[in-house]
Amino acid sequence: AQKITQTQPGMFVQEKEAVTLDCTYDTSDPSYGLFWYKQPSSGEMIFLIYQGSYDQQNATEGRYSLNFQKARKSANLVISASQLGDSAMYFCAMREGRAGGTSYGKLTFGQGTILTVHP
Amino acid sequence: NAGVTQTPKFQVLKTGQSMTLQCAQDMNHNSMYWYRQDPGMGLRLIYYSASEGTTDKGEVPNGYNVSRLNKREFSLRLESAAPSQTSVYFCASTAPGRNTEAFFGQGTRLTVV
């Protein structure tokens, strides 16, 4: 079963506008972490933002924020004031498990969303 | 800082040949991973090692073997390469903790003809 689902294969946004990239996840573990990564055309993986399952507030990092809705099991990435350099593939990922468990640290990724920013 | 180093960056194999992808990290991380990335499939976990001396299968382990040689190094071996293993391979590592991000190597583009 797919643990991380990104339903938008591609998204388009106008420069300087905000965009939301969707991510839903599936887990029965109460302790988990959610991550977003960016992969530009050059291929490297760049960490953007993290949200823990016990965090009370939505995570923010500069122009990136995470809209965390625990009951819906969604962790959408919001990019404000899009820039041309934001054009890339974006991956949502989840780490389940707790310290000491054999599954701790296993990081599962979604299929990715290609974001294109138009000038 | 080197971070996570993968070798080689590119490789072409003939069907049936074997090869080992090397990965080393210098961040004293406990956990290491091997992923493959195919168009439309995202990153799929092949094998991971939660700590030195342990390895576990991921989502797509068939056709691969791994060795956690020491805390720094985690290698991925293709014993008999098949065209279906044509992909981009990424090694990653993480420090202990639920909230620690993964650091990735630059990737290996493997083509099996």
Side-chain angles (χ1 to χ4, degrees):
Chain A
Q2 186 72 293
K3 293 238 178 200
I4 296 282
T5 303
Q6 295 179 252
T7 57
Q8 306 155 315
M11 288 286 286
F12 296 88
V13 66
Q14 211 60 31
E15 194 178 10
K16 299 180 185 176
E17 292 186 348
V19 63
T20 298
L21 306 183
D22 294 342
C23 173
T24 58
Y25 58 92
D26 181 29
T27 181
S28 56
D29 197 321
S31 175
Y32 54 90
L34 297 157
F35 303 79
W36 277 91
Y37 286 84
K38 173 184 178 181
Q39 186 181 45
S41 57
S42 53
E44 73 265 35
M45 295 289 288
I46 301 167
F47 166 71
L48 295 178
I49 196 167
Y50 165 82
Q51 179 84 44
S53 59
Y54 296 120
D55 294 344
Q56 294 297 311
Q57 293 189 322
N58 288 342
T60 60
E61 288 287 348
R63 294 187 297 111
Y64 304 109
S65 60
L66 206 152
N67 184 0
F68 181 46
Q69 298 188 42
K70 194 170 182 177
R72 288 185 164 188
K73 292 188 177 178
S74 74
N76 299 339
L77 177 71
V78 180
I79 305 175
S80 63
S82 298
Q83 301 171 356
L84 295 178
D86 293 335
S87 293
M89 175 78 85
Y90 288 81
F91 290 102
C92 180
M94 176 174 65
R95 176 180 295 135
E96 299 171 278
R98 52 187 62 82
T102 56
S103 64
Y104 197 71
K106 185 176 175 181
L107 192 60
T108 305
F109 284 79
Q111 307 95 313
T113 297
I114 300 175
L115 175 67
T116 303
V117 181
H118 289 303
Chain B
N1 293 335
V4 179
T5 303
Q6 271 183 250
T7 54
K9 287 188 169 51
F10 300 94
Q11 184 71 49
V12 178
L13 287 179
K14 293 183 179 178
T15 299
Q17 286 185 319
S18 62
M19 79 161 293
T20 299
L21 281 65
Q22 306 286 355
C23 176
Q25 52 90 9
D26 61 1
M27 296 172 283
N28 202 35
H29 285 171
N30 284 2
S31 301
M32 297 185 74
Y33 313 79
W34 276 105
Y35 294 91
R36 60 176 290 172
Q37 182 177 14
D38 303 292
M41 304 294 287
L43 275 76
R44 291 183 293 171
L45 184 63
I46 305 172
Y47 272 94
Y48 70 106
S49 171
S51 61
E52 185 179 356
T54 68
T55 60
D56 285 288
K57 294 178 181 179
E59 184 185 353
V60 288
N62 291 346
Y64 305 95
N65 286 302
V66 290
S67 296
R68 183 74 183 265
L69 305 169
N70 47 53
K71 192 170 186 179
R72 289 187 63 247
E73 298 171 289
F74 188 39
S75 62
L76 178 72
R77 182 160 179 84
L78 287 71
E79 290 291 352
S80 178
S84 61
Q85 294 178 304
T86 293
S87 187
V88 179
Y89 292 84
F90 284 97
C91 177
S93 71
T94 60
R98 178 169 52 88
N99 62 340
T100 57
E101 77 267 28
F103 290 81
F104 284 82
Q106 292 299 303
T108 297
R109 186 172 294 275
L110 174 67
T111 302
V112 183
V113 297

